[in-house]
Amino acid sequence: MVHLQAVSTVLFLLNLLQAVHVNALRPSSYAVWAVDSAISRGQGNGLDTNGKPLVSYEHGELQWALRLLYERDGNKTYYDYIKTGVDNVVSSNGTVGGGYSATQFQLDPLRVGPTFLYLYNQTGQSKYKIAANEFHNQLINIHSRTAQGQFWHKLIYPNQGWLDGIYMGDVFYATYTQLFQPNNKTAWDDITLQFTLMFNNTIQNVATPNHTLLNLLYHGYDFSHTTIWADPDRGHSPEIWIRALGWYSMALVDTLSIIPTSHPGHKILLTFLQTLTPRIVSAADPTSGVWWLVMTQPGRSGNYFESSGASMFVYSLLKAVRLGYVSDKDGKIVAAAKKAYQYIVKNWVVDNGDGTMGWLNTVQVGSLNTDGSFDYYIGIPTDLNDLKGLAAFALASIEYEHL
């Protein structure tokens, strides 16, 4: 009996030591844990899963988080990872590879552009400026626009503006203008126009059957009204999709820190943010504190809480309050963000037991290349460790850790 008790005690102590060891491997910062886990899996390094160079907006999103953490903590590993990732897609003479083609009119690849500019600032190496110039040339001299002046989302989606594209293209556009053309009023006017056209053409302003009136932004619009989903009202798409609104929200808070306060666009973007923020808070599920994938149909069978958009909202809400872009005298915005963040950590962060974390419930994609219906959005699978969501969680964690 004594022998069995001794064995039991030893096993208990071994299990305890193993648990202590696993916990010791885990960083105290969720933001660090998220990016370290991505790095350990080789995510966001300028290469695809087959090791070929790839210009990817997901990599640009992660690089933004890595830069913020490097500036906060001084961990050079993050800077080196950023540089390696960009060097995988930018040649020594500054040519952008990785599948990039300016004539495809895609806004998505331009999300890596702010990283080019960051590295140019850090190193002074001309190749990063040349690469950024290539992206900028696409916007100014090549990219097609609607008659109102909105950049097409892609060549294959003529006359369509998507919320996603504002985050992909216009944060770069603003960063480039700030660095090289800070007094270029025409450029600042154009950047403001991109946000304004998107807001005015997608804002939900009337109740429709079976759709909750949230007064938020539909996924996109077709200025030509020729696609199957284009509503007679401004050509907007049928649903408010969480991640599209998340992209736009992040673009607002990020661009507001770039556009000069002396330019009228700063006040315009500020108004958009101040308009959307309380509505995003109100749209959260009252029990969980997070948001539905298809926000216009909360609680409908098949709908679910989605992790990338929820993280984007937390980042945007907390950054908006921290920088004084929105007033939170009663603390409701920060309280809502905290509640959402706590749900996120409890339900979508998985301790893998090896020092890394797993990430759940990020929908693979959301497009307007079909009918833009509720059934389309809920029919897209979710991915484990999807970088779009994991990077958004890192960004949300950085803001949460500011608290």
Side-chain angles (χ1 to χ4, degrees), residues 39 42-47 53-54 59 63 66 76-90 112 115-116 119 123 127-128:
I39 290 172
Q43 294 181 279
N45 62 355
L47 303 173
L54 176 68
H59 297 195
Q63 288 160 359
L66 289 169
K76 193 169 180 294
T77 299
Y78 301 149
Y79 174 81
D80 292 342
Y81 200 77
I82 292 170
K83 189 172 184 302
T84 297
V86 168
D87 288 344
N88 280 330
V89 298
V90 175
V112 186
T115 315
F116 296 171
L119 289 175
T123 68
K127 72 172 189 175
Y128 300 121

Side-chain angles (χ1 to χ4, degrees), residues 87-101:
D87 288 344
N88 280 330
V89 298
V90 175
S91 69
S92 59
N93 66 6
T95 302
V96 182
Y100 168 72
S101 170

Side-chain angles (χ1 to χ4, degrees), residues 244-310:
L245 184 59
W247 291 130
Y248 188 86
S249 301
M250 292 204 300
L252 278 174
V253 295
D254 289 344
T255 306
L256 275 166
S257 65
I258 301 169
I259 188 170
T261 56
S262 59
H263 187 274
H266 190 277
K267 185 175 181 180
I268 292 170
L269 267 59
L270 201 59
T271 300
F272 293 158
L273 181 64
Q274 291 170 348
T275 299
L276 294 175
T277 294
R279 296 175 184 179
I280 290 171
V281 170
S282 296
D285 172 69
T287 302
S288 67
V290 291
W291 296 265
W292 296 91
L293 172 78
V294 181
M295 297 177 68
T296 21
Q297 302 200 46
R300 180 175 170 181
S301 178
N303 210 353
Y304 59 89
F305 302 136
E306 200 276 336
S307 63
S308 67

